[in-house]
Amino acid sequence: MSRRLLRLALLLVPVAIAVSSCRHGGTRPTVDIGTYLGGQTGLVQAEPVFGAHGMVASNSGLASEAGAEILKQGGNAVDAAVATGFALAVTYPFAGNIGGGGFMNIHMADGRAAAIDYREVAPLAASRDMYVDPATGKLTNKSTLGHLASGVPGSVAGMADALAKYGTMTLAQVMAPAIRLAKDGFEMDSALFRSLRGNKNVLSQFAGKDLFYPGGDAPAPGTRFVQAELAHTLELIAAKGPAGFYEGEVADALVAEEKRGGGIITHEDLKRYKAEWRTPIKSTYRGYTLYTMPPASSGGITMTETMNILETFGPLPKYGTAAYTHLLAEAFRRSFIDRNAKLGDPAFVKVPLEQLTSKAYAKELAGTIDRTHATKTPAFKSGAEPDHTTHYSVADNSGNVVSTTTTLNGGYGSGVWIPKGGFFMNNEMDDFAAQPGSPNMFGLVQGEANAIVPGKRMLSAMAPTIVMDRDGKALLVVGAAGGPRIITTVTQVILNVIEHDMSLGDAMRAPRLHHQSLPDELLVEDGALSPAVSDSLKAFGHTLKRAGGLANANGIMRVKGGWIGVREPRSAGKAVGY
Ligand code: DON
C-alpha cells in the first residue's frame, strides 16, 4: 500500500469503525450502537431531537451544548454557530479547528442571506510542483502529511468576521464555553479515545504526542482531558480578536514550528489572510429555494447543477429503485465532470457559475441521459479532482439559521500540532490538483483550474446549505463532511425530504450513494439497493462498489412549533435543542 493510501486508510479509521457498527435495512435501519458511540453520544441521540426555540446539531455533544448555552443566553444563530465552532476545536480535534478553514452560510429571518469563505490559501512560497518528486515525477505524500501540507488557516478570521457582522455578542462571550472546555477540561469519551488511538502512529510523529498520548496511549475514557495551551490561545483570540491568532505569540509559535519542521508559512502569510464574504448561490427546486456555497467551494455549483438536471425529469422515480438510482448517478456524473475540470478559486480562474447553475444548461445535460444505459465518463482532459471535516447546523427562536462546514481536511489535518499554540494544522494543500490529472487523497482527478498558485484557495467540496420552504421560511439546514461525498450526501438528504417526503430522521438514515465521475463507479452503502435493483444497475452498465458510511451530515428541519435536529446516524455527535 502506498504511503498516501495508508494515510487515507488511517484517516478513515474512525468513520469505518462508526460505519461498521451500523446495519441498514430499507429507509429505517436499526443502528447497532456497538462499542463506538459511547460517552456523550448514543443511540438515543441518533433519534431526532425537538427544540421549541432553537437547535444545534454537530459531531460533538459538548460543542452542541456550547452553542445551545449561547442560544439560551439570548444569542442568535450566528453567536451560537461561532460558539459551536470554537468548542469543536477543543472537543473534536479530529476536524474541529482553529488551524484549518471552512465555509459558513447564513440566512437571517429578515431575508438577508450571506456566505463567508474562510478557506485556507496557499502560502506565498508555495509552488505548482511542490509535491512532485523531481527525480521520479511522482506525487509525494507531503501534501497530506507534515509541515508542508498546510494552507494558511482561515477559521479564526472567518468566525470573527461572521460574528462581527451578524452576531449580537462579543467574541469573549461566545468563546467562553470553548475556553472553559479547554481550561477545565472535559471527560474523555470513547469516540475521541478510539479516534486518537487509531491515529497514534501519525500523530506521535509530531509535537502533540505528549498531550494526546501521555504515557504512550490516549487518555482513557472517563479521564479529564485538559488543553492548557489551547486555552491560552483561545483566551488571546477572545481578548484581541483575529490579531490574537494572526499576530503576536500564537503567530510566533506557528511560524517557529513551521520553520522547525520544514514548512513554509510565514508571518507575512498570516498577516495577509482575509476571509471573503460571498453571495450564496440561490437556486430553486420544485418551488423550494436553496442557498448554498459558491466557489472557492465547488459544493454549491455541483449540487445545483445536479438538482437542476433531476428537476427536468418531473416527479422522480421512488427512492431505492433502479430508475431513481440511475438518474441520480448520471446527474452526479455530469456535474462532477464539470466540477473537476472547470472549478477553482474565482480570484484566479474564470468560473462559469452562471452557465453551470442555469436551468437551460441542466436541460441540455438531462437530454444526454439514457434511462437504461450508463454513460461512460470520458477520460479526464484538462488536466481532474478531490476529503476530516465537520458540519454543524444552528437555528434560533427568530428563524435565523446558520449552516457551517469546517475542516482540517484529513483527520487531525497534517498531524502537525503547534507547541504553545495547542492546535493541529490542516493538510488542505492536498485539495489542490497537486499534479493536474492525478488523483488526490479522495481519488478526485482535477485540472489546471485548481493548480497550486501562491495566495490561491484550493477548491473545496463543502456544501453548507439552507433550504427555504415555499413560503420563504427556513426549512432545512444541512451540510456534511466527506470530501466529494459531501456534495452527493447533502443532495440526497435534501431530495429525501422534499422529493421523497421523508422525515429528517429517515432522510439522514436512508442509505446513500456516491458517484464522482472518476473513478467511474457507483459507491453504495449497505442496504441501499436490493439484489434485483443492483442487477438492473449492472445491466445498465454501472460498476457498483460497496462503501462504508458515505459522509457525515448534521441537519435541522423546521417543524410545527419548533425545530428537529438530527446528528449523523453513522457517527458520533449530538443534536441539542431547547
Ligand atoms: O474542502 C474539502 O472538500 C475537503 N477538504 C473536505 C474534507 C473532508 O470532508 C474530510 N472528511 N471526511
Side-chain angles (χ1 to χ4, degrees):
M1 191 187 285
S2 75
R3 294 190 68 181
R4 284 168 71 87
L5 280 177
L6 179 64
R7 168 99 178 110
L8 176 61
L10 288 172
L11 296 178
L12 295 180
V13 161
V15 173
I17 295 170
V19 165
S20 66
S21 67
C22 300
R23 295 285 172 269
H24 305 292
T27 58
R28 183 100 205 172
T30 32
V31 177
D32 170 5
I33 196 167
T35 49
Y36 179 67
L37 303 172
Q40 71 202 30
T41 60
L43 179 58
V44 156
Q45 294 301 341
E47 294 301 320
V49 170
F50 175 76
H53 308 290
M55 181 66 61
V56 183
S58 83
N59 284 123
S60 156
L62 293 168
S64 296
E65 276 157 14
E69 177 181 327
I70 295 297
L71 288 177
K72 285 181 203 154
Q73 287 170 16
N76 70 10
V78 177
D79 297 318
V82 175
T84 306
F86 278 109
L88 280 165
V90 180
T91 60
Y92 192 64
F94 188 59
N97 68 82
I98 53 174
F103 298 90
M104 185 181 285
N105 188 356
I106 300 172
H107 195 278
M108 305 299 283
D110 62 11
R112 284 175 298 161
I116 186 158
D117 167 343
Y118 46 100
R119 183 68 160 169
E120 301 88 331
V121 300
L124 294 167
S127 57
R128 183 189 160 89
D129 295 328
M130 62 190 279
Y131 302 115
V132 181
D133 182 334
T136 63
K138 297 218 166 96
L139 279 176
T140 66
N141 68 351
K142 291 197 169 120
S143 65
T144 57
L145 180 67
H147 298 75
L148 264 186
S150 305
V152 184
S155 293
V156 173
M159 289 194 284
D161 282 5
L163 185 75
K165 194 153 177 194
Y166 289 97
T168 65
M169 292 178 154
T170 63
L171 259 182
Q173 284 172 303
V174 303
M175 290 181 71
I179 293 171
R180 195 176 63 224
L181 287 160
K183 207 176 193 167
D184 302 345
F186 58 91
E187 204 174 282
M188 175 69 61
D189 63 78
S190 60
L192 179 55
F193 168 75
R194 280 167 180 267
S195 161
L196 287 172
R197 221 184 215 185
N199 286 276
K200 183 175 162 191
N201 288 346
V202 171
L203 301 188
S204 303
Q205 295 171 34
F206 304 101
K209 182 176 174 203
D210 297 339
L211 175 69
F212 292 100
Y213 306 100
D217 198 359
T223 29
R224 187 146 286 273
F225 183 57
V226 173
Q227 297 172 80
E229 288 163 305
L230 179 56
H232 180 60
T233 294
L234 295 174
E235 281 172 336
L236 288 170
I237 298 167
K240 301 181 175 175
F245 182 83
Y246 294 95
E247 296 167 32
E249 53 183 287
V250 177
D252 291 348
L254 195 161
V255 171
E257 175 61 19
E258 282 282 304
K259 250 196 196 135
R260 197 199 57 73
I264 54 176
I265 297 178
T266 61
H267 280 290
E268 182 63 21
D269 282 307
L270 295 173
K271 216 171 88 193
R272 283 190 188 205
Y273 185 84
K274 275 198 175 48
E276 299 283 351
W277 285 100
R278 311 271 189 204
T279 306
I281 293 177
K282 185 177 178 189
S283 64
T284 56
Y285 185 86
R286 305 207 201 289
Y288 293 85
T289 301
L290 280 78
Y291 290 98
T292 183
M293 197 51 65
S297 183
S298 65
I301 290 184
T302 314
M303 266 184 57
T304 303
E305 191 175 328
T306 307
M307 293 186 69
N308 283 345
I309 295 173
L310 293 173
E311 192 181 42
T312 65
F313 289 94
L316 295 178
K318 285 206 165 32
Y319 175 91
T321 58
Y324 176 64
T325 309
H326 174 67
L327 277 185
L328 211 54
E330 291 302 310
F332 281 133
R333 180 200 307 280
R334 283 157 179 75
S335 55
F336 269 87
I337 289 175
D338 282 336
R339 174 203 188 274
N340 294 345
K342 297 178 185 163
L343 304 188
D345 181 347
F348 289 77
V349 293
K350 198 165 166 10
V351 172
L353 188 146
E354 298 289 328
Q355 183 212 1
L356 299 185
T357 56
S358 79
K359 301 274 186 198
Y361 179 62
K363 209 163 169 202
E364 226 176 86
L365 289 181
T368 67
I369 297 179
D370 178 325
R371 300 294 286 258
T372 54
H373 288 102
T375 315
K376 288 279 161 245
T377 301
F380 189 76
K381 284 208 199 80
S382 129
E385 175 128 350
D387 215 310
H388 217 87
T389 307
T390 189
H391 176 83
Y392 56 99
S393 295
V394 181
D396 70 20
N397 201 20
S398 309
N400 305 310
V401 290
V402 179
S403 190
T404 308
T405 314
T406 181
T407 190
L408 288 166
N409 194 26
Y412 305 98
S414 63
V416 173
W417 184 84
I418 305 296
K420 299 206 184 103
F423 55 92
F424 285 104
M425 290 293 285
N426 67 82
N427 58 353
E428 221 72 63
M429 291 296 282
D430 194 66
D431 274 352
F432 278 118
Q435 192 173 45
S438 299
N440 77 350
M441 192 161 95
F442 296 103
L444 281 170
V445 184
Q446 312 176 89
E448 284 301 329
N450 191 28
I452 304 175
V453 180
K456 184 176 174 185
R457 285 163 149 81
M458 57 294 283
L459 186 64
S460 172
M462 292 187 267
T465 299
I466 295 165
V467 180
M468 316 298 289
D469 65 17
R470 293 184 172 115
D471 301 324
K473 276 192 170 154
L475 173 72
L476 271 175
V477 191
V478 62
R485 295 153 191 197
I486 292 173
I487 296 170
T488 48
T489 290
V490 177
T491 304
Q492 288 170 85
V493 172
I494 294 172
L495 286 172
N496 289 348
V497 172
I498 67 183
E499 178 82 34
H500 301 296
D501 292 324
M502 291 188 205
S503 68
L504 182 61
D506 283 346
M508 296 271 292
R509 283 185 288 256
R512 298 171 185 158
L513 311 159
H514 175 75
H515 202 300
Q516 62 182 43
S517 77
L518 285 176
D520 191 346
E521 59 196 17
L522 179 59
L523 301 184
V524 290
E525 286 185 347
D526 285 348
L529 306 174
S530 69
V533 167
S534 298
D535 287 347
S536 299
L537 290 165
K538 284 183 206 156
F540 290 177
H542 290 285
T543 302
L544 303 186
K545 203 165 159 193
R546 263 181 75 177
L550 288 172
N552 186 331
N554 287 292
I556 295 179
M557 183 169 174
R558 182 194 290 275
V559 293
K560 198 165 178 220
W563 303 97
I564 290 286
V566 182
R567 62 102 157 144
E568 174 55 61
R570 294 153 185 77
S571 184
K574 191 174 177 180
V576 176
Y578 91 102

